Amino acid sequence: MINIGVLGSTGSVGRQTLEIARKYKDKIKVKLLGASKLSDNLINQIKEFNPDYVYVELGESQIIGSTKIIAGEENLDFLKDVDLDLFIIAIAGVKGIKPTYILLESGKKIATANKEAIICLGELEKENYKNLIPIDSEHSAIFQIIDRRPLDDVRRIVLTASGGPFLNLPIEDFEKVTIQQALNHPRWSMGKKISVDSATLLNKGFEVIEAHYLFGLPYEKIDVVVHPESIIHGMVEYIDGSVISNLSYPDMKIPISYAIFYPERKQLNNNFLDFTKIKNLTFLPPDNEKFPLLNFAIECGKIGGMYPTVLTVADEVAVNLFLQGKIKFLDIYGIIKEVVENFKVYNVKNVQQLLDFIKEVEDFTVSVAKRYGNT
Ligand code: MG
């Protein structure tokens, strides 16, 4: 029996994790769930999986049946005392930083889809990333290829990008992009924030930084190629010229299942690749004029230090304002660029300083955003 915890259980990755737990209920026991509040969705999950612990960000600590509900970020330290085989972090955004930090510091086994935490904790925690299993599909692909072998003979890794919903949109039409269009990802069904990040291609920029911290590779050895079919998720090129790639139809359950059962594999569905139907796999360079945030992110990554954190936080605030209809799609780039260029960056030594730093970047971004759109 594999005992797991799922933080962010009502989100897209969380729900798909529970689908796998449901399919393999003889092998997986869900002992902990976590979400922002005790919503109907979470209550249904509690009824179905009967976990020992439930964490909610908002609400009151209480006991329901045999389930202990722990509320409030200030009480997250309880995670240190929960012994599970694997914690799955499926939380979206910088909210994932504190639980990720606590779990890493207390030596728990984690699998994470939360790239914001990997990036923002990169400078403090990268030494602890060695045992972490990535769920982000591209990083899972690379992990499935290299496993935990030394990277001495890797010439470069290549992360693929679908190109998002605006791959073929003329640049002059970006001005009028609506929320609905930005959320309409052609290949992957995901949460709202990451869907908008995929539309700006900043998601791929984040993934380059994420790969840098996860695999300890220099930026010069991480490339991005646009691959609209989203069949190849990642490639590793070795010094002898050989390239090993990871292919499947896009399905987050594959990286989630791999993280849970690693190093074993389990059958998920019958959606196996039919190469004669796919026929063509195409590759394009990213269009840096239409999607300036990709290179902007890589530059932030190369500067290093706290710059990737400033970028991550500015984006989260800007994307939320866009999703609330308060700024335009193109303002996302304007705001992020202004914040990164003007925020007075300083170094942090521990997670509390990091969380304070993040709050300052959030406030600064809100003040910058006031000059945009109709906020
Ligand atoms: Mg990804």
Side-chain angles (χ1 to χ4, degrees), residues 85-171:
D85 298 310
L86 185 69
F87 289 84
I88 291 170
I89 304 175
I91 300 168
V94 296
K95 272 197 299 197
I97 290 174
K98 198 171 172 186
T100 304
Y101 177 83
I102 291 169
L103 293 169
L104 283 171
E105 279 291 300
S106 49
K108 308 287 185 189
K109 260 188 81 180
I110 68 176
T112 181
N114 184 280
K115 64 189 71 165
E116 291 88 348
I118 294 173
I119 293 169
C120 297
L121 287 168
E123 292 300 319
L124 293 173
E125 289 292 315
K126 59 188 164 208
E127 288 307 312
N128 284 328
Y129 286 175
K130 290 183 188 73
N131 298 319
L132 186 157
I133 301 181
I135 291 178
D136 201 346
S137 59
E138 296 78 1
H139 305 75
S140 173
I142 303 297
F143 180 73
Q144 289 181 51
I145 298 165
I146 61 176
D147 204 324
R148 285 173 172 148
R149 286 191 299 274
L151 298 173
D152 306 341
D153 53 1
V154 170
R155 183 174 172 268
R156 61 168 179 157
I157 62 170
V158 181
L159 307 177
T160 54
S162 70
F166 306 139
L167 176 63
N168 298 312
L169 190 75
I171 194 161

Coordinates of all heavy atoms in Angstrom, one line a residue, residues 85-171:
D85 N 4.2 7.9 2.5 CA 5.1 7.5 1.5 C 5.4 8.6 0.5 O 6.5 8.7 -0.1 CB 4.7 6.2 0.8 CG 4.5 5.1 1.7 OD1 5.4 4.8 2.5 OD2 3.4 4.5 1.8
L86 N 4.4 9.4 0.2 CA 4.6 10.5 -0.8 C 3.6 11.6 -0.6 O 2.4 11.4 -0.4 CB 4.4 9.9 -2.2 CG 4.6 10.8 -3.4 CD1 6.1 11.2 -3.5 CD2 4.2 10.2 -4.7
F87 N 4.1 12.8 -0.6 CA 3.2 14.0 -0.7 C 3.2 14.5 -2.1 O 4.2 14.8 -2.7 CB 3.8 15.1 0.3 CG 3.7 14.8 1.7 CD1 4.6 14.0 2.4 CD2 2.6 15.2 2.5 CE1 4.5 13.7 3.7 CE2 2.5 14.9 3.8 CZ 3.5 14.2 4.4
I88 N 2.0 14.7 -2.6 CA 1.8 15.3 -3.9 C 1.4 16.7 -3.8 O 0.4 17.0 -3.2 CB 0.8 14.4 -4.8 CG1 1.5 13.1 -5.1 CG2 0.5 15.2 -6.1 CD1 0.6 12.1 -5.6
I89 N 2.2 17.6 -4.3 CA 1.9 19.0 -4.2 C 1.3 19.5 -5.6 O 2.0 19.6 -6.6 CB 3.1 19.9 -3.9 CG1 3.7 19.3 -2.6 CG2 2.8 21.3 -3.7 CD1 5.0 19.9 -2.2
A90 N 0.0 19.7 -5.5 CA -0.8 20.1 -6.7 C -1.4 21.4 -6.6 O -2.3 21.8 -7.2 CB -1.9 19.0 -7.0
I91 N -0.8 22.2 -5.6 CA -1.3 23.6 -5.4 C -0.8 24.5 -6.5 O 0.3 24.3 -7.1 CB -0.6 24.1 -4.0 CG1 -1.0 23.1 -2.9 CG2 -1.0 25.5 -3.8 CD1 -0.2 23.4 -1.6
A92 N -1.7 25.4 -6.9 CA -1.3 26.4 -7.9 C -0.7 27.6 -7.3 O -1.2 28.1 -6.3 CB -2.5 26.7 -8.8
G93 N 0.4 28.1 -7.8 CA 0.9 29.4 -7.5 C 1.8 29.5 -6.2 O 2.1 28.4 -5.7
V94 N 2.1 30.7 -5.8 CA 3.1 30.9 -4.7 C 2.6 30.4 -3.4 O 3.4 30.2 -2.5 CB 3.6 32.4 -4.6 CG1 4.3 32.8 -5.9 CG2 2.4 33.3 -4.3
K95 N 1.3 30.1 -3.3 CA 0.7 29.5 -2.0 C 1.4 28.2 -1.7 O 1.4 27.7 -0.6 CB -0.8 29.3 -2.2 CG -1.6 30.5 -1.8 CD -3.0 30.0 -1.6 CE -3.7 29.4 -2.8 NZ -5.2 29.4 -2.7
G96 N 2.0 27.6 -2.8 CA 2.6 26.3 -2.6 C 4.0 26.3 -1.9 O 4.5 25.3 -1.6
I97 N 4.5 27.5 -1.8 CA 5.9 27.7 -1.3 C 6.0 27.1 0.1 O 6.9 26.3 0.4 CB 6.4 29.1 -1.4 CG1 6.5 29.5 -2.8 CG2 7.6 29.3 -0.6 CD1 6.9 31.0 -3.0
K98 N 5.1 27.6 1.0 CA 5.3 27.2 2.5 C 5.2 25.7 2.7 O 6.1 25.1 3.3 CB 4.3 28.0 3.3 CG 4.7 28.0 4.8 CD 3.9 29.0 5.6 CE 4.3 28.8 7.1 NZ 3.4 29.5 8.0
P99 N 4.1 25.1 2.2 CA 4.1 23.6 2.4 C 5.3 22.9 1.7 O 5.8 21.9 2.3 CB 2.8 23.2 1.8 CG 2.2 24.3 1.0 CD 2.9 25.6 1.6
T100 N 5.7 23.3 0.6 CA 6.8 22.7 -0.1 C 8.0 22.8 0.7 O 8.8 21.8 0.9 CB 7.0 23.3 -1.5 OG1 5.8 23.3 -2.3 CG2 8.2 22.6 -2.3
Y101 N 8.3 24.0 1.3 CA 9.4 24.2 2.1 C 9.4 23.3 3.4 O 10.4 22.7 3.7 CB 9.5 25.7 2.5 CG 10.6 26.0 3.5 CD1 11.9 26.3 3.0 CD2 10.4 26.0 4.9 CE1 12.9 26.6 3.8 CE2 11.5 26.3 5.7 CZ 12.7 26.6 5.2 OH 13.8 26.8 6.1
I102 N 8.3 23.3 4.0 CA 8.2 22.5 5.3 C 8.4 21.0 4.9 O 9.2 20.3 5.7 CB 6.8 22.6 5.9 CG1 6.7 24.1 6.5 CG2 6.5 21.6 7.0 CD1 5.3 24.5 6.9
L103 N 7.9 20.5 3.8 CA 8.0 19.1 3.5 C 9.5 18.8 3.1 O 10.0 17.8 3.5 CB 7.1 18.7 2.4 CG 5.6 18.7 2.8 CD1 4.7 18.6 1.5 CD2 5.3 17.6 3.7
L104 N 10.1 19.7 2.3 CA 11.5 19.5 1.9 C 12.4 19.5 3.1 O 13.3 18.6 3.3 CB 11.9 20.6 0.9 CG 11.5 20.5 -0.5 CD1 11.8 21.7 -1.3 CD2 12.1 19.3 -1.2
E105 N 12.2 20.5 4.0 CA 13.1 20.6 5.2 C 12.9 19.4 6.2 O 13.8 19.1 6.9 CB 12.8 21.9 5.9 CG 13.4 23.1 5.3 CD 14.9 23.1 5.4 OE1 15.4 23.2 6.6 OE2 15.6 23.1 4.4
S106 N 11.7 18.8 6.2 CA 11.6 17.7 7.1 C 11.8 16.4 6.4 O 11.5 15.3 6.9 CB 10.2 17.7 7.8 OG 9.2 17.9 6.8
G107 N 12.4 16.4 5.2 CA 12.9 15.2 4.6 C 11.8 14.3 4.0 O 12.1 13.1 3.8
K108 N 10.6 14.9 3.8 CA 9.6 14.0 3.2 C 9.8 13.8 1.7 O 10.4 14.6 1.0 CB 8.2 14.7 3.4 CG 7.9 15.2 4.9 CD 7.6 14.1 5.8 CE 7.2 14.6 7.2 NZ 7.1 13.6 8.2
K109 N 9.2 12.7 1.3 CA 9.3 12.4 -0.2 C 8.2 13.2 -0.9 O 7.0 13.1 -0.5 CB 9.1 10.9 -0.4 CG 10.3 10.2 -0.7 CD 10.1 8.7 -1.1 CE 9.7 8.6 -2.6 NZ 9.4 7.2 -3.0
I110 N 8.5 14.0 -1.8 CA 7.5 14.8 -2.5 C 7.6 14.7 -4.0 O 8.6 14.5 -4.6 CB 7.4 16.3 -2.1 CG1 8.6 17.0 -2.5 CG2 7.3 16.4 -0.6 CD1 8.5 18.5 -2.2
A111 N 6.4 14.7 -4.6 CA 6.3 14.9 -6.1 C 5.5 16.2 -6.3 O 4.5 16.4 -5.6 CB 5.5 13.7 -6.6
T112 N 6.0 17.0 -7.1 CA 5.3 18.3 -7.2 C 5.0 18.8 -8.6 O 5.8 18.6 -9.6 CB 6.1 19.4 -6.5 OG1 5.4 20.7 -6.6 CG2 7.5 19.6 -7.1
A113 N 3.9 19.4 -8.7 CA 3.5 20.1 -10.0 C 3.6 21.6 -9.8 O 3.2 22.3 -10.7 CB 2.0 19.7 -10.3
N114 N 4.0 22.0 -8.7 CA 4.0 23.5 -8.4 C 5.3 24.1 -8.8 O 6.3 24.2 -8.0 CB 3.7 23.7 -6.9 CG 3.6 25.2 -6.5 OD1 4.6 25.8 -6.4 ND2 2.4 25.7 -6.4
K115 N 5.4 24.6 -10.0 CA 6.7 25.2 -10.5 C 7.0 26.5 -9.8 O 8.2 26.8 -9.7 CB 6.6 25.3 -12.0 CG 5.6 26.3 -12.5 CD 5.5 26.2 -14.1 CE 4.9 24.9 -14.5 NZ 4.4 24.8 -15.9
E116 N 6.0 27.2 -9.3 CA 6.3 28.5 -8.7 C 7.1 28.2 -7.4 O 8.1 29.0 -7.1 CB 5.0 29.2 -8.3 CG 4.1 29.7 -9.5 CD 3.2 28.7 -10.0 OE1 3.3 27.5 -9.7 OE2 2.3 29.1 -10.9
A117 N 6.8 27.2 -6.6 CA 7.5 26.9 -5.4 C 8.9 26.4 -5.8 O 9.9 26.8 -5.2 CB 6.8 25.8 -4.6
I118 N 9.1 25.6 -6.8 CA 10.4 25.1 -7.2 C 11.3 26.3 -7.6 O 12.5 26.4 -7.2 CB 10.3 24.1 -8.4 CG1 9.6 22.9 -8.0 CG2 11.7 23.8 -9.0 CD1 9.3 21.9 -9.1
I119 N 10.7 27.3 -8.3 CA 11.5 28.4 -8.7 C 11.8 29.3 -7.5 O 13.0 29.7 -7.3 CB 10.7 29.2 -9.8 CG1 10.6 28.4 -11.1 CG2 11.4 30.6 -10.1 CD1 9.6 29.0 -12.1
C120 N 10.8 29.7 -6.7 CA 11.0 30.7 -5.7 C 11.9 30.1 -4.6 O 12.6 30.8 -3.9 CB 9.7 31.2 -5.1 SG 8.7 32.1 -6.3
L121 N 11.8 28.8 -4.3 CA 12.7 28.1 -3.3 C 14.0 27.7 -3.9 O 14.8 27.1 -3.2 CB 11.9 26.9 -2.7 CG 10.8 27.2 -1.8 CD1 10.0 26.0 -1.5 CD2 11.3 27.8 -0.5
G122 N 14.2 27.9 -5.2 CA 15.4 27.4 -5.8 C 16.7 27.7 -5.1 O 17.5 26.8 -4.9
E123 N 16.9 29.0 -4.8 CA 18.2 29.4 -4.2 C 18.3 28.8 -2.8 O 19.4 28.5 -2.4 CB 18.3 30.9 -4.1 CG 18.4 31.5 -5.5 CD 19.7 31.1 -6.3 OE1 20.7 30.9 -5.6 OE2 19.6 30.8 -7.5
L124 N 17.2 28.6 -2.0 CA 17.3 28.1 -0.7 C 17.4 26.6 -0.6 O 18.0 26.1 0.3 CB 16.1 28.6 0.2 CG 15.9 30.1 0.4 CD1 14.6 30.4 1.1 CD2 17.0 30.6 1.3
E125 N 16.7 26.0 -1.5 CA 16.4 24.5 -1.3 C 17.0 23.6 -2.4 O 16.7 22.4 -2.4 CB 14.9 24.3 -1.2 CG 14.3 24.8 0.0 CD 14.7 24.0 1.3 OE1 14.7 22.8 1.2 OE2 15.0 24.6 2.3
K126 N 17.7 24.2 -3.4 CA 18.0 23.3 -4.6 C 18.7 22.0 -4.2 O 18.6 21.0 -4.8 CB 18.8 24.1 -5.6 CG 20.1 24.7 -5.2 CD 20.6 25.6 -6.3 CE 21.7 26.5 -5.8 NZ 21.8 27.8 -6.5
E127 N 19.5 22.1 -3.1 CA 20.2 20.8 -2.6 C 19.2 19.7 -2.3 O 19.5 18.5 -2.4 CB 21.1 21.1 -1.4 CG 22.3 21.9 -1.7 CD 23.1 21.3 -2.9 OE1 23.4 20.1 -2.8 OE2 23.5 22.0 -3.8
N128 N 18.0 20.2 -1.8 CA 17.0 19.2 -1.4 C 16.1 18.7 -2.6 O 15.2 17.9 -2.4 CB 16.1 19.8 -0.3 CG 16.7 19.8 1.0 OD1 17.5 19.0 1.3 ND2 16.4 20.8 1.8
Y129 N 16.4 19.2 -3.8 CA 15.6 18.8 -4.9 C 15.9 17.5 -5.5 O 15.3 16.9 -6.4 CB 15.7 19.9 -6.0 CG 15.0 21.2 -5.8 CD1 15.1 22.3 -6.7 CD2 14.1 21.3 -4.7 CE1 14.4 23.5 -6.4 CE2 13.5 22.5 -4.4 CZ 13.6 23.6 -5.3 OH 12.9 24.8 -5.1
K130 N 17.1 16.9 -5.0 CA 17.6 15.7 -5.6 C 16.6 14.5 -5.5 O 16.5 13.7 -6.4 CB 18.9 15.3 -4.9 CG 20.0 16.2 -5.3 CD 21.3 15.7 -4.6 CE 22.4 16.7 -4.8 NZ 22.3 17.9 -4.0
N131 N 15.8 14.5 -4.4 CA 14.8 13.4 -4.2 C 13.4 13.8 -4.7 O 12.5 13.0 -4.5 CB 14.8 13.1 -2.7 CG 16.2 12.6 -2.3 OD1 16.8 11.8 -3.0 ND2 16.6 13.0 -1.1
L132 N 13.3 14.9 -5.2 CA 11.9 15.4 -5.6 C 11.6 14.8 -7.0 O 12.4 14.7 -7.9 CB 12.0 16.9 -5.6 CG 10.8 17.8 -5.8 CD1 11.1 19.1 -5.3 CD2 10.5 17.9 -7.3
I133 N 10.3 14.4 -7.1 CA 9.9 13.9 -8.4 C 9.0 14.9 -9.1 O 8.0 15.3 -8.5 CB 9.1 12.5 -8.3 CG1 10.1 11.5 -7.6 CG2 8.7 12.0 -9.6 CD1 9.4 10.1 -7.4
P134 N 9.4 15.3 -10.3 CA 8.6 16.4 -11.0 C 7.3 15.8 -11.6 O 7.3 14.7 -12.2 CB 9.5 16.9 -12.0 CG 10.5 15.8 -12.3 CD 10.6 15.0 -11.1
I135 N 6.2 16.5 -11.6 CA 5.0 16.1 -12.2 C 4.7 17.0 -13.5 O 4.1 16.5 -14.4 CB 3.8 16.2 -11.2 CG1 3.9 15.2 -10.1 CG2 2.5 16.1 -11.9 CD1 2.9 15.2 -9.1
D136 N 5.3 18.2 -13.5 CA 5.2 19.0 -14.7 C 5.6 18.1 -15.9 O 6.6 17.4 -15.8 CB 6.1 20.2 -14.6 CG 5.7 21.3 -15.5 OD1 4.9 21.1 -16.4 OD2 6.3 22.5 -15.3
S137 N 4.7 18.0 -16.9 CA 4.9 17.0 -17.9 C 6.3 17.0 -18.6 O 6.9 15.9 -18.8 CB 3.8 17.1 -19.0 OG 3.8 18.3 -19.6
E138 N 6.8 18.2 -18.9 CA 8.1 18.3 -19.6 C 9.2 17.7 -18.7 O 10.1 17.1 -19.1 CB 8.4 19.7 -20.0 CG 7.4 20.3 -21.0 CD 6.1 20.7 -20.4 OE1 5.9 20.6 -19.2 OE2 5.2 21.2 -21.2
H139 N 9.1 18.1 -17.4 CA 10.2 17.7 -16.4 C 10.0 16.2 -16.1 O 11.0 15.5 -15.9 CB 10.1 18.6 -15.2 CG 10.2 20.0 -15.6 ND1 9.1 20.7 -16.2 CD2 11.2 20.9 -15.6 CE1 9.5 21.9 -16.5 NE2 10.7 22.1 -16.2
S140 N 8.8 15.7 -16.1 CA 8.6 14.3 -15.9 C 9.2 13.6 -17.1 O 9.9 12.5 -16.9 CB 7.1 14.0 -15.8 OG 7.0 12.5 -15.8
A141 N 9.1 14.1 -18.3 CA 9.7 13.5 -19.5 C 11.2 13.4 -19.3 O 11.8 12.3 -19.6 CB 9.3 14.3 -20.7
I142 N 11.8 14.5 -18.9 CA 13.3 14.5 -18.8 C 13.6 13.5 -17.7 O 14.6 12.8 -17.8 CB 13.8 15.9 -18.4 CG1 13.4 17.0 -19.5 CG2 15.3 15.9 -18.2 CD1 13.9 16.7 -20.9
F143 N 12.9 13.6 -16.6 CA 13.2 12.7 -15.4 C 13.0 11.2 -15.9 O 13.8 10.3 -15.5 CB 12.2 13.0 -14.3 CG 12.4 12.1 -13.1 CD1 13.5 12.3 -12.2 CD2 11.4 11.2 -12.7 CE1 13.6 11.5 -11.1 CE2 11.6 10.4 -11.6 CZ 12.7 10.5 -10.8
Q144 N 12.0 10.9 -16.7 CA 11.8 9.5 -17.2 C 13.0 9.1 -18.0 O 13.3 7.9 -18.1 CB 10.5 9.4 -17.9 CG 9.3 9.5 -17.0 CD 8.0 9.4 -17.8 OE1 7.8 8.4 -18.6 NE2 7.1 10.3 -17.6
I145 N 13.6 10.1 -18.7 CA 14.8 9.7 -19.6 C 16.1 9.6 -18.8 O 16.8 8.6 -18.9 CB 14.9 10.8 -20.7 CG1 13.7 10.8 -21.6 CG2 16.2 10.4 -21.5 CD1 13.6 12.0 -22.5
I146 N 16.4 10.6 -18.0 CA 17.7 10.6 -17.3 C 17.6 9.9 -15.9 O 18.7 9.5 -15.4 CB 18.3 12.0 -17.1 CG1 17.4 12.9 -16.3 CG2 18.6 12.6 -18.5 CD1 18.0 14.2 -16.0
D147 N 16.4 9.8 -15.4 CA 16.2 9.2 -14.1 C 17.1 10.0 -13.1 O 17.1 11.2 -13.1 CB 16.5 7.7 -14.1 CG 15.8 7.0 -12.9 OD1 15.7 7.6 -11.8 OD2 15.4 5.9 -13.1
R148 N 17.9 9.3 -12.3 CA 18.8 10.0 -11.4 C 20.3 9.8 -11.7 O 21.2 9.9 -10.9 CB 18.5 9.6 -9.9 CG 17.2 10.3 -9.5 CD 16.7 9.8 -8.2 NE 15.6 10.7 -7.8 CZ 14.6 10.2 -7.0 NH1 14.6 9.0 -6.6 NH2 13.6 11.0 -6.7
R149 N 20.5 9.6 -13.0 CA 21.9 9.3 -13.5 C 22.7 10.7 -13.5 O 22.0 11.7 -13.7 CB 21.9 8.7 -14.8 CG 21.5 7.2 -14.8 CD 21.8 6.5 -16.1 NE 21.1 7.1 -17.2 CZ 19.8 6.8 -17.5 NH1 19.2 5.9 -16.9 NH2 19.2 7.4 -18.5
P150 N 24.0 10.6 -13.5 CA 24.8 11.9 -13.6 C 24.6 12.5 -15.0 O 24.3 11.7 -16.0 CB 26.2 11.4 -13.4 CG 26.2 10.0 -12.9 CD 24.8 9.5 -13.2
L151 N 24.7 13.8 -15.1 CA 24.4 14.5 -16.4 C 25.6 14.8 -17.2 O 25.5 15.6 -18.1 CB 23.6 15.8 -16.0 CG 22.3 15.5 -15.3 CD1 21.7 16.9 -14.9 CD2 21.3 14.8 -16.2
D152 N 26.8 14.2 -16.8 CA 28.0 14.6 -17.5 C 28.0 14.4 -19.0 O 28.6 15.2 -19.7 CB 29.2 13.7 -16.9 CG 29.3 13.8 -15.4 OD1 28.7 14.7 -14.9 OD2 29.9 12.9 -14.8
D153 N 27.2 13.4 -19.5 CA 27.2 13.2 -20.9 C 26.0 13.8 -21.6 O 25.7 13.5 -22.8 CB 27.3 11.7 -21.2 CG 26.3 10.9 -20.4 OD1 25.5 11.5 -19.7 OD2 26.2 9.6 -20.6
V154 N 25.3 14.7 -20.9 CA 24.1 15.4 -21.5 C 24.6 16.6 -22.2 O 25.3 17.5 -21.5 CB 23.1 15.7 -20.5 CG1 22.0 16.6 -21.0 CG2 22.4 14.4 -19.9
R155 N 24.4 16.8 -23.5 CA 24.8 18.0 -24.2 C 23.8 19.1 -23.9 O 24.1 20.2 -23.7 CB 24.9 17.7 -25.7 CG 25.4 18.9 -26.4 CD 25.7 18.6 -27.9 NE 26.0 19.9 -28.6 CZ 25.0 20.6 -29.2 NH1 23.8 20.2 -29.2 NH2 25.3 21.7 -29.8
R156 N 22.5 18.7 -24.0 CA 21.4 19.7 -23.7 C 20.1 18.9 -23.5 O 20.0 17.7 -23.9 CB 21.2 20.7 -24.8 CG 20.9 20.0 -26.1 CD 20.4 21.1 -27.2 NE 20.1 20.3 -28.4 CZ 19.3 20.8 -29.4 NH1 18.7 21.9 -29.3 NH2 19.0 20.0 -30.4
I157 N 19.2 19.5 -22.8 CA 17.8 19.0 -22.8 C 16.9 20.0 -23.6 O 17.2 21.2 -23.8 CB 17.2 18.8 -21.4 CG1 17.1 20.2 -20.6 CG2 18.1 17.9 -20.6 CD1 16.4 20.1 -19.3
V158 N 15.9 19.4 -24.2 CA 14.9 20.3 -25.0 C 13.5 20.1 -24.4 O 13.0 19.0 -24.2 CB 14.9 19.8 -26.4 CG1 14.0 20.7 -27.3 CG2 16.3 19.8 -27.0
L159 N 13.0 21.2 -24.0 CA 11.6 21.2 -23.5 C 10.7 21.6 -24.7 O 11.0 22.6 -25.4 CB 11.4 22.3 -22.4 CG 12.4 22.2 -21.2 CD1 12.1 23.3 -20.2 CD2 12.3 20.8 -20.5
T160 N 9.6 20.9 -24.9 CA 8.7 21.2 -26.0 C 7.6 22.1 -25.4 O 7.2 22.0 -24.3 CB 8.1 20.0 -26.6 OG1 7.5 19.2 -25.6 CG2 9.2 19.2 -27.3
A161 N 7.1 23.0 -26.3 CA 6.0 23.9 -26.0 C 5.0 23.7 -27.1 O 5.3 23.7 -28.3 CB 6.5 25.4 -26.0
S162 N 3.7 23.6 -26.7 CA 2.7 23.5 -27.7 C 2.5 24.8 -28.6 O 2.1 24.7 -29.7 CB 1.3 23.2 -27.1 OG 0.9 24.3 -26.4
G163 N 2.9 25.9 -27.9 CA 2.7 27.2 -28.6 C 1.5 27.9 -28.1 O 1.3 29.1 -28.3
G164 N 0.7 27.2 -27.4 CA -0.5 27.8 -26.7 C -1.6 28.1 -27.7 O -1.5 27.9 -28.9
P165 N -2.7 28.8 -27.3 CA -3.8 29.1 -28.1 C -3.5 30.2 -29.2 O -4.2 30.3 -30.2 CB -4.9 29.6 -27.1 CG -4.1 30.0 -25.9 CD -2.9 29.2 -25.9
F166 N -2.4 30.9 -29.0 CA -2.1 32.0 -29.9 C -1.0 31.8 -30.8 O -0.4 32.8 -31.4 CB -2.0 33.3 -29.1 CG -3.1 33.6 -28.2 CD1 -2.9 34.1 -26.9 CD2 -4.4 33.4 -28.6 CE1 -4.0 34.3 -26.0 CE2 -5.5 33.6 -27.7 CZ -5.3 34.1 -26.5
L167 N -0.6 30.6 -31.0 CA 0.5 30.2 -31.9 C 0.4 30.8 -33.3 O 1.3 31.4 -33.8 CB 0.6 28.7 -32.0 CG 1.7 28.1 -32.9 CD1 3.1 28.5 -32.5 CD2 1.6 26.6 -33.0
N168 N -0.9 30.8 -33.8 CA -1.1 31.3 -35.2 C -1.8 32.6 -35.2 O -2.3 33.0 -36.3 CB -1.8 30.2 -36.0 CG -1.0 29.0 -36.1 OD1 0.2 29.0 -36.4 ND2 -1.6 27.8 -35.8
L169 N -2.0 33.2 -34.1 CA -2.7 34.5 -34.0 C -1.8 35.6 -34.5 O -0.7 35.8 -34.0 CB -3.2 34.8 -32.6 CG -4.1 36.0 -32.4 CD1 -5.5 35.6 -32.9 CD2 -4.2 36.4 -30.9
P170 N -2.2 36.5 -35.5 CA -1.4 37.6 -35.9 C -1.1 38.5 -34.8 O -2.0 38.8 -33.9 CB -2.2 38.3 -37.0 CG -3.3 37.3 -37.4 CD -3.5 36.4 -36.2
I171 N 0.1 39.1 -34.8 CA 0.5 39.9 -33.6 C -0.4 41.1 -33.4 O -0.6 41.5 -32.3 CB 2.0 40.4 -33.8 CG1 2.6 40.9 -32.5 CG2 2.1 41.4 -35.0 CD1 4.1 41.0 -32.5

